[in-house]
Each structure stands twice: as structure tokens, then as C-alpha cells.
């Protein structure tokens, strides 16, 4: 009898479940799902249009600023433009997510208010993001970096290509794109703010006549100064020095930031040409002569 009563109870429950599924209005459910999908699609298209229009307006405003030279520093203008676009994009993403959750019936306000431990964990996990945001703001405010600057951040050296609210992008000389969290940017070496001094070392032999070397260097300088617009000051002849146990004749030149290598190579080639024409012995030529 107990077994029969159990089977009857089970059959009754199955019958109730069957009636529950039978009473459902599948057409109504399908219509509601379709309406939700259409609403989500329309919302996504609307936010895409808002995102596109916002970018268009921001780019237009910065183009006008560039035209009227409201900000004379082009790198500074590019930096603020990139930061503004990033902030606008993330703001649009936040409201889009909020709208989607609200449309599908998720009580966003209740979730935020009653998250409890999850909110605490999320807050702790977001500390790094907040640090990135705050440090990025001060980097921009203090003008530590601008897009296009050549910088060294820790072991990474290259050109700043973008400054975001969370990361700064630096492209190395070999093309490597480095993403650096803003909170890790503590010491910045910026090579693009001031004129740079570079040294041109001519490795001369001990037997070389220093007066002759100086005269030839001065002649080369007079020829190069007029054809080198990157120069910011007259080349300074320092003279003979010992560098790494080798005798060199050093010339110091001040040039526009970013042109050090090209100008130094140009001056060194001119010096060597003059010295070879006058048969002034260089260090490696001197060693070969002594060995013979």
C-alpha cells in the first residue's frame, strides 16, 4: 500500500508539471524574447551612432584647436585628444552595459546596493585600475609625457604612441609596442623636451698632431654649420681625452631632440674624410703601423 501511495503521489506531481507546461503561452514567451532581442539590437545601434558622432565631434574640435593654435604644442594636443577619446569611449561602454542589463530585466540598482562582499572584493580588485586612472591624470596634468615624445620608462625606451586612462603605449625602436600600466610609471626620462648634447669621438693615434687635428675639425665645422639646421649651438671642440683606455679627440654638439644620431654620424663622416685626406693617423691605423 505504501508503494501504491508513493506512485500516486509521483503521478500527481508529474501531472501538475505537465499542466504547468501546457498552460504556458509559448507564443507570448517567443514574442517577449523577440521584443527583447529587437530592443537590444536597437540599443546597440543607437550607442554605435552616439559613439561615432562623439568621436566625430571630438576630432573636429581638436582639428579646430590645431587650426587656430589654441594649443601650440602639437604633441600636447594629440595627447589630450587621445585621452578625451578614451574617456568618452569607456563612458559609452558603461552606459551601454547598464542599458542592456536594464532591458533584460536585471535589477542593476539592487545588485549594486546589495552586492555586499562581492562589492568589497570588486573594490579591492579595482584598486589597480583606480591607481592607473589617477596616475594617468597626473601624468597628463604635469605634462610628463606627450604623444610623440621619445622617453625611457624603466627598461623600456621608445616613442609614446598613446596615453590612455589605464595604460601608456610606447613603441620601441625595433617596432615593439609596449603597454605600460600608468601606476608603474614612476621615473620618466623624456628626451624630447630640451635640446640634446651628443659627443663625436674621433679615435686618433698617439702620434697624430693635435694642432693639425683641431684645425681640420674646425674647417669641417665651418662647412657643416651652414648645412645643418638641426644645430642649436656652435660645436664645442673639447680636444683629446682618454675613453675606455683609448685616445679620442672629442667634439660636443647641441642639436634638436631626436636628431642626435643623424647629426653625429654626419659630423663624424666629415671629420674622417678630412683626416684621411690629410693622412692623419687614426688609432687603428696607428696600431697597424706599430705592428708592421
Amino acid at each position: 500500500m505504501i508503494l501504491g501511495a508513493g506512485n500516486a503521489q509521483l503521478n500527481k506531481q508529474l501531472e501538475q508539471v505537465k499542466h504547468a507546461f501546457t498552460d504556458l503561452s509559448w507564443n507570448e514567451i517567443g514574442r517577449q524574447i523577440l521584443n527583447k532581442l529587437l530592443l537590444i539590437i536597437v540599443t546597440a545601434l543607437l550607442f554605435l551612432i552616439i559613439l561615432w558622432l562623439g568621436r566625430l565631434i571630438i576630432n573636429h574640435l581638436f582639428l579646430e584647436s590645431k587650426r587656430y593654435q589654441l594649443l601650440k604644442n602639437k604633441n600636447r594636443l594629440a595627447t589630450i585628444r587621445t585621452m578625451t577619446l578614451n574617456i568618452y569611449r569607456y563612458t559609452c561602454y558603461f552606459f551601454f552595459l547598464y542599458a542592456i542589463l536594464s532591458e533584460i530585466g536585471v535589477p542593476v540598482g539592487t545588485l549594486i546596493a546589495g552586492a555586499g562582499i562581492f562589492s568589497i572584493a570588486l573594490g579591492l580588485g579595482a584598486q589597480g585600475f583606480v591607481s592607473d586612472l589617477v596616475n594617468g591624470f597626473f601624468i597628463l596634468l604635469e605634462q610628463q609625457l606627450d604623444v610623440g615624445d621619445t622617453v625611457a620608462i624603466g627598461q623600456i625606451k621608445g616613442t609614446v604612441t598613446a596615453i590612455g586612462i589605464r595604460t601608456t603605449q610606447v613603441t620601441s625602436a625595433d617596432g615593439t609596442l609596449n603597454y605600460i600600466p600608468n601606476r608603474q610609471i614612476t621615473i620618466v626620462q623624456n628626451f624630447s623636451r630640451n635640446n640634446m648634447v651628443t659627443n663625436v669621438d674621433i679615435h686618433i693615434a698617439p702620434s697624430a698632431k693635435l694642432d693639425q687635428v683641431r684645425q681640420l675639425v674646425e674647417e669641417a665645422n665651418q662647412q657643416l654649420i651652414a648645412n645643418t639646421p638641426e644645430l642649436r649651438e656652435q660645436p664645442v671642440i673639447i680636444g683629446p681625452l682618454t675613453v675606455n683606455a683609448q685616445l679620442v679627440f672629442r667634439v660636443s654638439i647641441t642639436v634638436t631632440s631626436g636628431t642626435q644620431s643623424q647629426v653625429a654620424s654626419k659630423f663624424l663622416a666629415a671629420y674622417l674624410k678630412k683626416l684621411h685626406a690629410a693622412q692623419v693617423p687614426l688609432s687603428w691605423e696607428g696600431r697597424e703601423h706599430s705592428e708592421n
Side-chain angles (χ1 to χ4, degrees), residues 131-148:
S131 298
D132 290 332
L133 180 62
V134 173
N135 201 31
F137 172 77
F138 281 106
I139 288 174
L140 182 64
L141 182 66
E142 296 172 356
Q143 302 184 21
Q144 300 177 20
L145 303 173
D146 281 327
V147 174

Side-chain angles (χ1 to χ4, degrees), residues 156 166-170 177-181 184:
I156 298 174
R166 195 180 69 83
T167 61
T168 295
Q169 300 178 25
V170 177
L177 182 59
N178 305 279
Y179 291 85
I180 306 173
Q184 295 184 5

Side-chain angles (χ1 to χ4, degrees), residues 182-198:
N182 289 334
R183 65 180 180 275
Q184 295 184 5
I185 300 177
T186 55
I187 299 177
V188 179
Q189 293 177 281
N190 196 321
F191 303 100
S192 299
R193 296 298 171 84
N194 301 315
N195 295 327
M196 303 299 294
V197 177
T198 182

Side-chain angles (χ1 to χ4, degrees), residues 111-242:
L111 288 177
I112 295 176
I117 297 176
F118 177 75
S119 296
I120 297 175
L122 183 62
L124 293 174
Q127 285 182 352
F129 175 80
V130 175
S131 298
D132 290 332
L133 180 62
V134 173
N135 201 31
F137 172 77
F138 281 106
I139 288 174
L140 182 64
L141 182 66
E142 296 172 356
Q143 302 184 21
Q144 300 177 20
L145 303 173
D146 281 327
V147 174
D149 285 354
T150 301
V151 300
I153 302 174
Q155 300 298 321
I156 298 174
K157 183 178 180 180
T159 303
V160 178
T161 53
I163 299 177
I165 63 174
R166 195 180 69 83
T167 61
T168 295
Q169 300 178 25
V170 177
T171 303
S172 302
D174 60 356
T176 302
L177 182 59
N178 305 279
Y179 291 85
I180 306 173
N182 289 334
R183 65 180 180 275
Q184 295 184 5
I185 300 177
T186 55
I187 299 177
V188 179
Q189 293 177 281
N190 196 321
F191 303 100
S192 299
R193 296 298 171 84
N194 301 315
N195 295 327
M196 303 299 294
V197 177
T198 182
N199 295 320
V200 180
D201 291 339
I202 308 169
H203 292 261
I204 58 176
S207 59
K209 297 179 180 180
L210 297 180
D211 292 339
Q212 183 184 15
V213 174
R214 180 179 293 272
Q215 181 182 356
L216 292 173
V217 168
E218 289 177 348
E219 292 177 0
N221 286 340
Q222 293 301 320
Q223 297 173 359
L224 291 169
I225 289 173
N227 300 323
T228 310
E230 296 86 359
L231 279 177
R232 288 296 171 262
E233 296 180 7
Q234 295 286 335
V236 177
I237 300 177
I238 298 176
L241 294 172
T242 301

Side-chain angles (χ1 to χ4, degrees), residues 17 74 90 98 105 108 113 134 142 174 208 212 219 234-235 250 260 284:
V17 173
K74 294 182 179 179
Y90 283 113
Y98 184 89
V108 181
V134 173
E142 296 172 356
D174 60 356
Q212 183 184 15
E219 292 177 0
Q234 295 286 335
R250 173 168 292 181
Q260 305 94 285
W284 55 85

Side-chain angles (χ1 to χ4, degrees), residues 255-272:
V255 297
T256 305
S257 175
T259 63
Q260 305 94 285
S261 298
Q262 296 87 338
V263 176
S265 177
K266 178 180 179 180
F267 271 69
L268 180 59
Y271 295 155
L272 293 178

